[in-house]
Amino acid sequence: MDVARRGIAAAAVALGLVAIGVMPSAWADETDPPAAEDAGSVRVEAAAADAVSDESVRAVAAMSLRERAASVVMGHIPTTDTAALRDYMASTGIGGFILMGANIPASESALRDVTAALTIDPALPPLLAIDQEGGDVSRLPWDGFPSSLELKDAPPAAAQDAFAARAALVQRAGIGVNFGIVADETNDPGSFIYRRALGTTPDSAAERVAAAVAGEGSAAMSTLKHFPGHGAAPGDSHRGIPSTDMSKDQWAASDGVPFAAGIDADAPLLMFGHLAYTAVDAAPASLSAEWHRIAREELGFEGIAVTDDLGMLEASGDPRYGDPVANAVAALAAGNDVVLGVMFSDSRSATRIVDGIVSAVESGSLPAERLDEAAARVHEMRTSLAADGRGLMPCADCESAG
């Protein structure tokens, strides 16, 4: 059972108890909860994981085509203006938002105001995501926990502790998803990903990636990035499309090892990079059906596949990737469940992408079944976040209990 489904099952009990007015904390010192008859003759049971999944399928079937299309888009506008953010989410109807530096105010309490504004419906909160790796890529200035530069030379337990603490900060802010675990590995200090990688060998990276996923636990939905791995493909995907002719067998024995470890540790999201392993597929992995097949059929990944920022494809200068709407449709067709856009986007970009997805389904160039599959996975994670209470903002001045 994956992390998201475990969270749904566990939290369903808690939500049910709150709904009937029984406080779970009253059981803190008891081995077993009181019998049903002692709790007002009401029995609350967690839904089976399959039932939760089936419910998401039914919910998506009841959506309009436009609602389904909007639900798989993760957008961004650079502001902390809560009114503007709320209007953006309400007017676009999109299923996710990534918080970048321009969305982070000076204090944690002010950030909770931002995430509250982004949450139109607490019963179905959006996928709010952040790149909180620590160190070089850190959106939260109050995150002083060890980064990969220290963790790559420390025992795996240190990575688990650091990411447990980091996830707590993300959760306290009302953010459900952390794009924070770099599963790329390299021993080349000249590589742009070196400072951000958790290991310098496949095995050392794998140990720390798995530990980081365990550390984040249910506090934040962990994301492994940038599949299938930047280490073997020289160059920065923010400015081009790095490529390598490494064979698939070589990849599986090297750069693929940390990703396999993170998937085995139940990371619920996998971010596909804009990099090409040409012996496997000439296309960037983010647009490659073959790399999505490998992740799901060979590595056993069952969670949400998300693109790296699709604006990076435009930034590559390759004319094949100059149309952001076409890139989003191609990414969905390849197997991604969430399409993410930051670079070159504005307040109207998400709507244009939603329009493009709708048109692609209507024309038959994007199978409706592929969109439905993606929308159901996203819906399931959103309901999981609601069950965990992520749609409910924490107290204004939360303090640690211990």
Side-chain angles (χ1 to χ4, degrees):
M1 183 184 295
D2 60 35
V3 172
R5 292 185 178 177
R6 283 202 301 268
I8 295 170
V13 176
L15 283 182
L17 291 167
V18 171
I20 63 174
V22 179
M23 295 304 294
S25 59
W27 304 342
D29 298 323
E30 298 185 27
T31 302
D32 297 304
E37 58 269 26
D38 296 330
S41 298
V42 175
R43 182 178 179 83
V44 181
E45 294 182 351
D50 289 345
V52 175
S53 180
D54 290 346
E55 176 57 33
S56 290
V57 171
R58 287 193 292 271
V60 167
M63 293 179 183
S64 68
L65 172 57
R66 185 169 190 84
E67 288 171 333
R68 280 176 277 158
S71 74
V72 301
V73 175
M74 180 173 283
H76 170 76
I77 54 172
T79 182
T80 57
D81 184 322
T82 55
L85 290 166
R86 191 164 188 82
D87 179 68
Y88 173 74
M89 296 302 285
S91 63
T92 61
I94 57 176
F97 186 94
I98 182 169
L99 292 101
M100 304 295 286
N103 302 117
I104 309 301
S107 70
E108 193 176 52
S109 60
L111 178 54
R112 287 195 287 270
D113 291 338
V114 166
T115 54
L118 290 165
T119 305
I120 303 300
D121 180 5
L124 189 64
L127 297 184
L128 300 184
I130 191 168
D131 291 310
Q132 193 57 34
E133 300 173 16
D136 289 357
V137 179
S138 183
R139 310 299 182 208
L140 304 179
W142 45 85
D143 180 353
F145 300 109
S147 72
S148 56
L149 276 176
E150 301 159 85
L151 296 174
K152 69 174 76 234
D153 295 320
Q160 181 166 342
D161 291 344
F163 276 86
R166 189 158 285 129
L169 293 183
V170 170
Q171 184 181 53
R172 280 166 60 96
I175 300 168
V177 175
N178 188 18
F179 292 157
I181 300 179
V182 175
D184 311 276
E185 63 86 18
T186 180
N187 62 1
D188 178 9
S191 169
F192 95 100
I193 206 68
Y194 176 82
R195 291 174 58 89
R196 298 164 58 191
L198 284 166
T200 56
T201 67
D203 289 341
S204 68
E207 291 177 329
R208 286 156 185 79
V209 164
V213 173
E216 289 199 320
S218 62
M221 295 291 187
S222 296
T223 307
L224 309 175
K225 62 184 187 183
H226 310 79
F227 187 78
H230 272 294
D236 184 344
S237 57
H238 293 85
R239 294 189 290 270
I241 299 175
S243 65
T244 176
D245 61 1
M246 174 183 281
S247 72
K248 184 184 162 195
D249 287 344
Q250 290 174 312
W251 168 81
S254 57
D255 290 63
V257 173
F259 289 98
I263 290 170
D264 287 346
D266 280 340
L269 294 102
L270 181 63
M271 178 178 284
F272 283 70
H274 306 308
L275 55 155
Y277 281 65
T278 56
V280 177
D281 192 336
S286 55
L287 305 182
S288 168
E290 176 61 9
W291 276 114
H292 283 80
R293 185 198 67 77
I294 290 168
R296 294 204 181 275
E297 296 182 12
E298 299 186 18
L299 299 186
F301 179 66
E302 296 181 351
I304 285 180
V306 56
T307 68
D308 203 347
D309 175 12
L310 288 172
M312 293 160 62
L313 287 174
E314 291 180 75
S316 73
D318 189 320
R320 293 174 295 179
Y321 310 123
D323 182 343
V325 174
N327 291 340
V329 170
L332 283 169
N336 289 284
D337 304 307
V338 172
V339 290
L340 166 65
V342 180
M343 293 175 68
F344 309 118
S345 66
D346 56 32
S347 61
R348 299 177 299 279
S349 297
T351 298
R352 288 193 289 266
I353 289 174
V354 173
D355 290 342
I357 295 170
V358 170
S359 295
V361 172
E362 290 176 337
S363 71
S365 59
L366 176 64
E369 296 80 6
R370 172 77 275 274
L371 176 60
D372 291 350
E373 177 186 49
R377 287 194 182 116
V378 171
H379 185 275
E380 185 173 0
M381 184 169 285
R382 291 173 70 182
T383 56
S384 172
L385 293 173
D388 285 342
R390 309 297 179 82
L392 307 174
M393 291 300 104
C395 57
D397 296 299
C398 295
E399 294 184 6
S400 173

